[in-house]
Amino acid sequence: MTGYTMLRNGGAGNGGQTCMLRWSNRIRLTWLSFTLFVILVFFPLIAHYYLTTLDEADEAGKRIFGPRVGNELCEVKHVLDLCRIRESVSEELLQLEAKRQELNSEIAKLNLKIEACKKSIENAKQDLLQLKNVISQTEHSYKELMAQNQPKLSLPIRLLPEKDDAGFPPPKATRGCRLHNCFDYSRCPLTSGFPVYVYDSDQFVFGSYLDPLVKQAFQATARANVYVTENADIACLYVILVGEMQEPVVLRPAELEKQLHSLPHWRTDGHNHVIINLSRKSDTQNLLYNVSTGRAMVAQSTFYAVQYRPGFDLVVSPLVHAMSEPNFMEIPPQVPVKRKYLFTFQGEKIESLRSSLQEARSFEEEMEGDPPADYDDRIIATLKAVQDSKLDQVLVEFTCKNQPKPSLPTEWALCGEREDRLELLKLSTFALIITPGDPRLVISSGCATRLFEALEVGAVPVVLGEQVQLPYQDMLQWNEAALVVPKPRVTEVHFLLRSLSDSDLLAMRRQGRFLWETYFSTADSIFNTVLAMIRTRIQIPAAPIREEAAAEIPHRSGKAAGTDPNMADNGDLDLGPVETEPPYASPRYLRNFTLTVTDFYRSWNSAPGPFHLFPHTPFDPVLPSEAKFLGSGTGFRPIGGGAGGSGKEFQAALGGNVPREQFTVVMLTYEREEVLMNSLERLNGLPYLNKVVVVWNSPKLPSEDLLWPDIGVPIMVVRTEKNSLNNRFLPWNEIETEAILSIDDDAHLRHDEIMFGFRVWREARDRIVGFPGRYHAWDIPHQSWLYNSNYSCELSMVLTGAAFFHKYYAYLYSYVMPQAIRDMVDEYINCEDIAMNFLVSHITRKPPIKVTSRWTFRCPGCPQALSHDDSHFHERHKCINFFVKVYGYMPLLYTQFRVDSVLFKTRLPHDKTKCFKFI
């Protein structure tokens, strides 16, 4: 206790001891610090020294710390390995540092380039914005100018008249009916579409008296007509069938008139009605004589002058083929031009003009003036003199061997059966048709039947009597297919017929065949012609044509397709830009509302296509190349204009009158997926390509895992209803360009060849322009046509396995060309290319155009095609001869013309060097 207190208070006795303790503690701390300092500083220095002297060891076995005794601390070899590792690591570090510095330098340069590109992009954006502003201002100015010069007109509002309207004044006499005073235009606006309501004849008493074949044929064609509507309230026209009647039914005029006036939409005077009386026999009754038809139009084959109202009523052809199509195999060919007889006539006149006038006093009282002289006696004497002269072989018979067919008074009755008459006409170059002796009988069923039979078998009609009203005379130019000679010139008929050249005679025969097929041959053609005549008279355009709706097959697109160097190696040629913008369609030809006036005669009398019967197509190649109708205005505007150019400028631009144009590839395929994919990939990078339409002709769909190539343009895979080669030429609605490149899935064509073919087609848009040429030849021993695929300097066909053609021909092939040809193609699964060449040559009377010197274009490694079958060529021989039968003549034309490009070298086989090239 005491010690503790002393220590606590710092007693003097213990003060020295405390100081010693403090001094000793300090000495221990200082020594410890010194020791630690020596260990931490000198030992690393010593270690560093010895480590840096490792390289100074002389031998591998020399000890670094001098000779020692006992165990070795480490082996020298191990230390040397460590040294080498250190050197290698040091060297790699130096290399990495150099690379790092180099990459930093490159990064700095790239950053500078990025900044420069950003500035360029900004400048380009500014320039693009300025260009867009200029374009916008230009478009705005253009629209203002167009609005000033061509005001935009909206379609008129259709005003439907009252159901029982009878408002406009009647003409002074029924015979004075014309369109302006007997037709109600308010029911038929230009934009109405020309709706037609057809009465059901079975609902009326006279319907039970109709000939069953006539009634059935009429009902069938009415159901299929595009203008027929079931809504009578909106109808522009009302059609009723009243004949032909069954024998021996005789309907009294008063009874028929009463039934007509009781029609639901007769409206007191029958305006906008058409009464049709079709005849199947030469003695068809004139049912509507002495029947008050009011303002209704009358369409029949027999007219008295007191009945017929020019420009209002219609003279129609007889319905010979009621429920059957014409048999083309029984129709004689149009060549040779000259036949056995120069002209023939068979007929018997039962009653003279004088006796007929004496009996028909009520008829004579309605006429003014005295009847003209009867020239029939002079005609008989003249024709018999020609026959007796033996200058030409003619056959005239004025009495029938058997009982003549019933006929009207003063009319020349038909002799024999129809088959016998046709056999005689097949041997006749000309067929005489003597009109009735009574000029007040403007047309009769007998005359119309003679005209029908002559046109059917290719005998050029010679009508004696200019007063006759031929069928559809106010629409058709009969002088192109028949000779109408006044009866007083009967003595000059022989001289006139002898003076016709063979070329003129063949042209008339061909035009007559066209008129017969288009307007006379079937019930469809007769009914369509009647409606078309009325529609044309009231200036309503035809309805748009039907396009084939494409049923697309879903498919997956794979990676972007590469470009085959063999297909796209064009050297220095610049074939044009690969389209980066969305595909653009050709300007659609919208049928002008004034076309029925401005293009009247061409549409009714030209063989390129009966526009009046068939709905119009959106693309029409007949118009001049420098101008096309656009929109629904009344004028036309030129499209584009060439800017000249040469060299690369010429190669890169299409130029011409339609500088902005693309084409569509149509590729037919059948279960050859690998071949198809390769063909599609070869189209990658092809300039001016709008889209590719793949016609999948197999009922089996493509493989689900099939990856389709991405070639930069849409690929439309179309599913077909059946396996038919005719599907190649269907006018698919997905085809939006005028130009179609039809190509097989195994065809190999270079891009420069395709583009050259496209350029050539644009200079001849109405022709087939393609690569593989073929020709036809006459087989003298067998007296038939042959198909020849040998290499030749002359050709008449271009295969559509690689050819350009206009979409217009797709409509004609599918809807206008005789069905018998398409049936032949389906039967043989062959000849569709020959059929298209026949069609185009028949329409244009021009041969196709072959481009480039390529002799073969098939895929060398592809599976075998149908054309390699032994029966392939035999079937094509049969096809050609059958097509000639259908057309009546050989429409194919030979040509030695071939178009080659001067921009690439032409390689000719050694045995083909004698062929001429036209450049």
Side-chain angles (χ1 to χ4, degrees):
M1 180 71 181
T2 304
Y4 176 79
T5 304
M6 291 176 65
L7 289 172
R8 180 180 179 87
N9 296 327
N14 296 324
Q17 187 177 359
T18 304
C19 291
M20 287 296 294
L21 290 172
R22 292 177 178 175
W23 181 81
S24 60
N25 290 334
R26 288 176 183 174
I27 291 174
R28 284 197 295 270
L29 292 173
T30 303
W31 176 252
L32 181 60
S33 300
F34 179 76
T35 303
L36 292 174
F37 177 77
V38 171
I39 293 172
L40 295 175
V41 174
F42 288 96
F43 274 29
L45 292 176
I46 293 169
H48 181 268
Y49 171 77
Y50 284 105
L51 290 174
T52 56
T53 59
L54 287 174
D55 295 334
E56 298 177 1
D58 295 331
E59 295 96 6
K62 184 178 180 181
R63 300 181 186 275
I64 297 182
F65 297 102
R68 291 181 181 273
V69 190
N71 295 329
E72 303 280 337
L73 294 178
C74 64
E75 293 293 337
V76 175
K77 184 177 180 180
H78 178 67
V79 175
L80 291 176
D81 291 338
L82 294 175
C83 293
R84 293 190 188 95
I85 292 173
R86 182 184 63 80
E87 290 180 355
S88 177
V89 171
S90 299
E91 191 173 336
E92 289 181 359
L93 290 175
L94 292 175
Q95 293 177 358
L96 291 174
E97 179 64 21
K99 289 184 178 180
R100 186 183 66 81
Q101 294 178 1
E102 183 180 354
L103 290 175
N104 288 334
S105 176
E106 291 181 359
I107 290 173
K109 293 180 181 179
L110 291 175
N111 287 331
L112 293 177
K113 290 183 178 180
I114 290 173
E115 292 298 327
C117 290
K118 288 182 178 179
K119 292 181 180 179
S120 299
I121 291 174
E122 290 297 329
N123 294 334
K125 288 182 178 179
Q126 293 295 330
D127 295 340
L128 180 61
L129 182 60
Q130 293 178 1
L131 289 175
K132 287 183 177 180
N133 292 334
V134 172
I135 292 174
S136 177
Q137 294 176 2
T138 305
E139 290 179 349
H140 183 70
S141 302
Y142 174 76
K143 291 179 180 179
E144 288 182 349
L145 291 175
M146 293 298 295
Q148 294 175 2
N149 298 318
Q150 294 183 0
K152 184 177 180 180
L153 301 178
S154 60
L155 295 178
I157 300 176
R158 184 177 182 185
L159 301 177
L160 293 178
E162 297 292 336
K163 183 177 180 180
D164 298 325
D165 61 323
F168 62 109
K172 295 181 179 180
T174 305
R175 289 187 55 197
C177 260
R178 301 295 184 270
L179 288 176
H180 69 276
N181 58 6
C182 286
F183 190 84
D184 185 5
Y185 280 90
S186 66
R187 302 198 64 89
C188 306
L190 290 176
T191 58
S192 64
F194 192 62
V196 177
Y197 179 79
V198 179
Y199 289 100
D200 185 4
S201 300
D202 292 333
Q203 297 181 357
F204 306 98
V205 176
F206 60 83
S208 59
Y209 302 149
L210 293 176
D211 186 313
L213 289 178
V214 173
K215 181 168 63 174
Q216 186 178 356
F218 180 81
Q219 292 174 348
T221 187
R223 285 193 298 267
N225 194 275
V226 296
Y227 299 105
V228 173
T229 179
E230 296 182 358
N231 188 354
D233 294 334
I234 66 170
C236 164
L237 200 68
Y238 301 87
V239 179
I240 181 66
L241 178 69
V242 299
E244 160 176 86
M245 295 291 181
Q246 301 182 64
E247 293 182 353
V249 176
V250 178
L251 193 63
R252 292 182 301 173
E255 184 178 354
L256 178 59
E257 179 178 326
K258 180 180 179 181
Q259 295 183 32
L260 289 176
H261 291 186
S262 64
L263 292 175
H265 307 283
W266 186 261
R267 298 187 180 92
T268 70
D269 57 6
H271 61 273
N272 291 46
H273 276 65
V274 180
I275 305 173
I276 299 180
N277 179 22
L278 299 178
S279 60
R280 291 184 57 238
K281 302 181 294 293
S282 61
D283 60 335
T284 300
Q285 307 171 31
N286 187 0
L287 293 176
L288 300 175
Y289 184 65
N290 290 329
V291 173
S292 175
T293 56
R295 288 193 172 105
M297 302 178 189
V298 176
Q300 60 182 9
S301 299
T302 301
F303 275 104
Y304 289 109
V306 293
Q307 282 182 280
Y308 183 66
R309 297 165 291 185
F312 192 74
D313 293 329
L314 296 90
V315 178
V316 299
S317 63
L319 182 60
V320 178
H321 300 289
M323 292 300 296
S324 62
E325 294 289 333
N327 188 353
F328 293 101
M329 301 303 294
E330 297 179 357
I331 299 176
Q334 298 184 23
V335 290
V337 179
K338 299 294 181 60
R339 296 177 177 176
K340 178 180 180 180
Y341 298 108
L342 177 64
F343 63 84
T344 59
F345 177 81
Q346 284 183 324
E348 182 173 342
K349 194 171 184 180
I350 301 177
E351 196 169 2
S352 65
L353 172 65
R354 186 175 304 278
S355 60
S356 66
L357 292 179
Q358 291 175 352
E359 294 179 2
R361 294 183 179 180
S362 59
F363 171 73
E364 183 181 0
E365 292 174 356
E366 299 177 5
M367 306 300 299
E368 299 179 359
D370 297 328
D374 189 358
Y375 289 100
D376 288 352
D377 295 337
R378 186 185 305 175
I379 292 174
I380 294 173
T382 302
L383 296 181
K384 283 185 176 181
V386 174
Q387 184 179 19
D388 296 339
S389 66
K390 306 296 183 180
L391 295 175
D392 288 294
Q393 193 168 1
V394 299
L395 176 63
V396 290
E397 296 178 352
F398 299 103
T399 56
C400 296
K401 298 178 181 179
N402 299 321
Q403 182 69 23
K405 300 294 181 182
S407 62
L408 297 175
T410 76
E411 182 185 19
W412 287 92
L414 294 171
C415 296
E417 299 298 329
R418 167 177 158 81
E419 291 75 13
D420 299 330
R421 297 194 301 270
L422 291 180
E423 290 299 323
L424 178 60
L425 290 174
K426 290 177 182 179
L427 303 175
S428 308
T429 305
F430 297 94
L432 293 185
I433 302 175
I434 305 176
T435 58
D438 186 354
R440 288 166 284 195
L441 183 61
V442 295
I443 185 63
S444 65
S445 297
C447 286
T449 302
R450 290 180 183 272
L451 180 66
F452 180 96
E453 293 176 351
L455 295 176
E456 182 178 5
V457 297
V460 178
V462 179
V463 182
L464 292 178
E466 79 283 4
Q467 81 283 356
V468 68
Q469 288 290 330
L470 297 179
Y472 324 122
Q473 184 166 330
D474 53 346
M475 297 291 181
L476 301 182
Q477 292 178 316
W478 277 105
N479 60 329
E480 296 180 356
L483 294 174
V484 180
V485 183
K487 287 185 176 181
R489 293 189 179 274
V490 64
T491 57
E492 302 172 335
V493 168
H494 185 210
F495 169 79
L496 180 63
L497 301 185
R498 287 285 300 270
S499 65
L500 279 176
S501 65
D502 289 352
S503 59
D504 292 338
L505 181 56
L506 184 60
M508 296 182 68
R509 183 175 294 167
R510 186 179 298 125
Q511 181 68 6
R513 174 70 176 270
F514 165 72
L515 297 180
W516 177 77
E517 289 183 355
T518 309
Y519 310 108
F520 294 78
S521 57
T522 63
D524 285 341
S525 60
I526 295 175
F527 183 66
N528 290 336
T529 304
V530 170
L531 296 185
M533 285 190 64
I534 299 174
R535 179 182 53 76
T536 305
R537 285 175 175 177
I538 62 178
Q539 302 178 4
I540 294 182
I545 197 169
R546 176 178 62 90
E547 290 190 303
E548 290 294 325
E552 183 178 5
I553 299 177
H555 59 279
R556 294 187 301 163
S557 297
K559 63 179 181 180
T563 302
D564 188 346
N566 296 324
M567 296 294 107
D569 184 12
N570 306 308
D572 297 331
L573 297 181
D574 184 2
L575 300 180
V578 179
E579 300 298 338
T580 56
E581 300 179 359
Y584 52 86
S586 299
R588 297 181 69 83
Y589 178 79
L590 302 179
R591 188 50 58 98
N592 196 296
F593 284 110
T594 61
L595 184 70
T596 51
V597 176
T598 60
D599 209 20
F600 178 80
Y601 281 107
R602 179 184 69 86
S603 63
W604 277 82
N605 297 277
S606 60
F611 300 100
H612 66 290
L613 292 186
F614 301 94
H616 70 79
T617 64
F619 307 119
D620 190 349
V622 183
L623 291 177
S625 59
E626 66 274 5
K628 280 183 176 289
F629 287 95
L630 293 178
S632 58
T634 58
F636 61 89
R637 300 179 296 176
I639 301 178
S646 60
K648 295 192 67 174
E649 295 177 359
F650 170 77
Q651 300 171 28
L654 285 176
N657 298 299
V658 189
R660 182 177 170 87
E661 186 171 19
Q662 293 181 335
F663 62 91
T664 302
V665 168
V666 176
M667 187 177 296
L668 188 73
T669 187
Y670 186 90
E671 296 184 4
R672 298 200 295 182
E673 296 180 352
E674 182 179 358
V675 175
L676 175 63
M677 296 302 107
N678 293 334
S679 297
L680 292 175
E681 288 184 359
R682 288 192 293 270
L683 298 177
N684 185 35
L686 182 60
Y688 302 107
L689 180 59
N690 181 273
K691 71 175 62 171
V692 178
V693 176
V694 177
V695 182
W696 191 264
N697 223 23
S698 171
K700 180 182 177 182
L701 296 180
S703 303
E704 296 182 358
D705 57 348
L706 182 63
L707 291 179
W708 296 71
D710 183 4
I711 61 175
V713 298
I715 297 179
M716 175 71 65
V717 186
V718 178
R719 184 176 184 177
T720 58
E721 296 181 357
K722 64 176 182 178
N723 178 20
S724 172
L725 293 180
N726 293 315
N727 295 332
R728 179 195 296 272
F729 302 124
L730 284 174
W732 302 105
N733 58 353
E734 292 296 332
I735 302 176
E736 299 177 318
T737 60
E738 295 184 15
I740 295 178
L741 172 58
S742 174
I743 188 169
D744 289 340
D745 58 359
D746 58 354
H748 275 215
L749 289 175
R750 293 166 53 93
H751 287 188
D752 57 343
E753 293 173 327
I754 294 176
M755 287 309 305
F756 180 64
F758 183 46
R759 290 176 180 273
V760 173
W761 176 85
R762 296 178 74 252
E763 301 294 332
R765 307 173 74 90
D766 60 338
R767 318 265 287 270
I768 297 178
V769 176
F771 301 88
R774 301 291 186 266
Y775 67 97
H776 67 289
W778 179 251
D779 183 9
I780 297 178
H782 298 88
Q783 293 293 295
S784 63
W785 294 102
L786 294 177
Y787 170 84
N788 202 316
S789 63
N790 296 330
Y791 298 140
S792 173
C793 298
E794 192 171 50
L795 59 100
S796 59
M797 292 176 282
V798 166
L799 301 187
T800 55
F804 285 92
F805 64 89
H806 201 288
K807 187 181 179 182
Y808 176 78
Y809 296 125
Y811 296 103
L812 297 186
Y813 184 98
S814 302
Y815 304 141
V816 180
M817 188 179 69
Q819 180 63 37
I821 297 180
R822 293 190 292 272
D823 293 340
M824 185 81 165
V825 171
D826 287 336
E827 179 182 354
Y828 285 152
I829 316 179
N830 199 344
C831 308
E832 85 287 354
D833 47 0
I834 301 178
M836 177 59 82
N837 277 270
F838 265 71
L839 174 66
V840 177
S841 296
H842 170 66
I843 291 173
T844 63
R845 304 306 302 136
K846 298 177 183 178
I849 297 178
K850 174 179 169 55
V851 294
T852 78
S853 61
R854 177 179 284 272
W855 300 101
T856 179
F857 64 101
R858 291 295 177 187
C859 173
C862 295
Q864 195 173 28
L866 293 174
S867 58
H868 294 88
D869 192 354
D870 294 337
S871 62
H872 175 75
F873 287 96
H874 296 289
E875 293 173 349
R876 294 173 85 81
H877 300 329
K878 296 179 181 178
C879 287
I880 285 186
N881 287 281
F882 178 76
F883 296 166
V884 170
K885 278 284 187 180
V886 173
Y887 282 99
Y889 74 110
M890 169 54 74
L892 298 179
L893 299 173
Y894 293 107
T895 180
Q896 297 179 1
F897 183 83
R898 194 188 83 203
V899 184
D900 284 349
S901 174
V902 297
L903 302 180
F904 59 83
K905 295 181 180 179
T906 300
R907 296 179 299 172
L908 288 177
H910 68 279
D911 58 337
K912 307 297 183 297
T913 55
K914 293 183 180 180
C915 296
F916 292 98
K917 290 194 306 176
F918 297 88
I919 301 176

